Amino acid sequence: MFGMATADESYVEGQNGSFVSYMIAIVEKWTGLEILEGSLNYLDYLLWVFTPLIIVFILPMFIVLFLYLSILFLHVYKRKRELKEAYSNSVWDGARKTLATLWDGHATIWHGYEVHGLEKIPRVGPALIVYYHGAIPVDYYYFLAKVIIQKGRTCHSVADHFLFKLPGFKLLLEVFSVMHGPQEECVRALKNGHLLAISPGGVREALFSDETYRIVWRRRKGFAQVAIDAQVPIIPMFTRNIREGFRTFGCFGFCKWLYEKFKWPFVPIYGGFPVKFCTYLGDPIPYDPNITAAELADKAKQAVQSLIEKHQIIPGNILRALLERVHWREKNE
């Protein structure tokens, strides 16, 4: 009997794996834990695969969050001051400078942001700034911050109508002198001595241009007529790698049809990559009473195109733009 028991024990222990492992396997099969474990491993794999995609779509939301935090700050500032005339320029100077400092810090940390040619922006007197529109014009926000901090001026801006329909944006737009762009209002702002910035490509350029940095102005010349009527110079502006920071799926035909038909800017945006941003300001195009609006518009377009050709490697490349944070050589620019 003792010999048989010893033989059985030897048989069990001689199987592939220990007796304990064998029993655990049986319990897993009975309880279904083996299937659950396999499912969890599969979910882990899917999470590993799709995490980068999730991140590139979530990062642009941080810019929106930062905008709403700016709005919250303005409301707190307004309450704290307890003012009757809440929209007086002198009242909001402190708020603008505070937000400009915060946005400038974000620009420096996340994008190593630089501006070249800021001396071309006059310290006093009007000028019309014309710029290329990125998928999200965060470079323009950074530029506004630089102008407030280094020039002590507020640049008025022209924005698309849909921006005025976004919940909570009213106070932010008013404090930073954003208008929806009637020509008469633009001319009035310039004649009052303010800086004014316009992107002739607007939302269409933001959504449907790409890493080739194609200018999408069509035949727009209203901005040129504004410059002529106000008798001010036009200053061209472009930001290197703006399309590598944020990109769109503007190639989808349905998205184009939706925008052209209903003016709904519903195009997926991804990115938020910490690429190198550098804004360049070209030489001012002086006021000429003998030039037509069409000729001036073409001249301004050529000036922006020249900045793109001089400072942007085409087609844009996200990896290269990321590496420029480390290996940035301005002398080659």
Side-chain angles (χ1 to χ4, degrees):
M1 289 177 64
F2 292 109
M4 291 177 62
T6 303
D8 289 340
E9 290 172 2
S10 299
Y11 173 76
V12 172
E13 292 176 358
Q15 299 300 311
N16 293 331
S18 67
F19 176 76
V20 175
S21 299
Y22 176 71
M23 292 303 296
I24 290 174
I26 291 176
V27 171
E28 286 181 342
K29 288 181 179 180
W30 283 352
T31 59
L33 289 175
E34 185 179 40
I35 298 173
L36 179 60
E37 183 180 1
S39 299
L40 291 174
N41 289 336
Y42 182 65
L43 289 174
D44 286 341
Y45 170 75
L46 290 178
L47 186 62
W48 178 77
V49 169
F50 289 105
T51 293
L53 293 177
I54 295 171
I55 290 174
V56 299
F57 283 102
I58 288 179
L59 279 176
M61 297 306 297
F62 279 96
I63 295 298
V64 178
L65 176 62
F66 208 38
L67 286 169
Y68 273 104
L69 288 175
S70 299
I71 293 168
L72 177 62
F73 169 80
L74 290 176
H75 280 286
V76 172
Y77 183 90
K78 178 182 176 181
R79 289 290 182 184
K80 190 173 179 65
R81 299 283 299 205
E82 296 180 352
L83 298 166
K84 294 181 179 180
E85 296 181 359
Y87 305 108
S88 170
N89 287 336
S90 59
V91 168
W92 291 106
D93 280 348
R96 277 192 289 263
K97 289 177 182 177
T98 301
L99 289 179
T101 301
L102 292 174
W103 279 92
D104 188 55
H106 182 276
T108 301
I109 293 170
W110 196 247
H111 293 290
Y113 183 67
E114 300 177 14
V115 179
H116 294 275
L118 195 61
E119 68 279 358
K120 296 171 184 177
I121 301 294
R123 286 197 173 273
V124 293
L128 178 62
I129 301 166
V130 173
Y131 64 96
Y132 173 86
H133 202 304
I136 296 180
V138 65
D139 60 317
Y140 179 65
Y141 308 155
Y142 298 156
F143 169 74
L144 287 180
K146 288 288 188 186
V147 171
I148 292 172
I149 293 170
Q150 297 190 23
K151 294 288 184 176
R153 304 191 63 181
T154 300
C155 183
H156 292 222
S157 309
V158 176
D160 194 88
H161 287 81
F162 91 91
L163 200 61
F164 293 83
K165 299 177 183 178
L166 294 178
F169 266 60
K170 181 181 178 181
L171 181 60
L172 182 69
L173 298 177
E174 289 182 352
V175 170
F176 284 91
S177 304
V178 181
M179 62 187 77
H180 59 79
Q183 288 190 20
E184 298 78 11
E185 191 174 349
C186 293
V187 172
R188 189 182 308 114
L190 289 167
K191 286 188 174 181
N192 288 335
H194 298 295
L195 296 171
L196 178 67
I198 298 176
S199 175
V203 176
R204 182 178 286 104
E205 186 169 78
L207 300 181
F208 306 120
S209 185
D210 52 27
E211 64 272 17
T212 64
Y213 289 84
R214 178 173 56 94
I215 293 177
V216 188
W217 290 9
R218 294 193 169 182
R219 297 183 180 179
R220 290 189 174 179
K221 57 183 181 181
F223 72 95
Q225 190 62 56
V226 165
I228 292 172
D229 292 344
Q231 301 182 10
V232 299
I234 292 179
I235 302 175
M237 186 173 79
F238 168 74
T239 298
R240 178 186 177 98
N241 295 328
I242 185 59
R243 282 283 164 184
E244 280 57 71
F246 298 91
R247 288 189 175 178
T248 68
F249 289 105
C251 58
F252 293 163
F254 175 73
C255 294
K256 288 186 177 181
W257 175 83
L258 199 62
Y259 179 75
E260 298 297 346
K261 185 73 174 178
F262 302 104
K263 293 296 181 288
W264 291 350
F266 295 150
V267 174
I269 296 177
Y270 67 97
F273 307 114
V275 301
K276 179 70 178 183
F277 280 171
C278 192
T279 294
Y280 296 92
L281 292 150
D283 293 329
I285 303 171
Y287 165 69
D288 182 354
N290 299 317
I291 197 172
T292 65
E295 292 170 338
L296 183 57
D298 188 58
K299 201 171 182 178
K301 184 177 180 180
Q302 290 177 9
V304 174
Q305 184 65 51
S306 295
L307 290 175
I308 295 173
E309 293 173 356
K310 182 178 180 181
H311 300 292
Q312 181 66 51
I313 301 175
I314 297 176
N317 182 279
I318 295 173
L319 179 59
R320 181 177 61 236
L322 287 168
L323 292 175
E324 286 181 4
R325 289 295 305 275
V326 181
H327 303 288
W328 175 250
R329 291 194 292 269
E330 182 188 335
K331 63 182 181 181
N332 292 333
E333 295 300 315

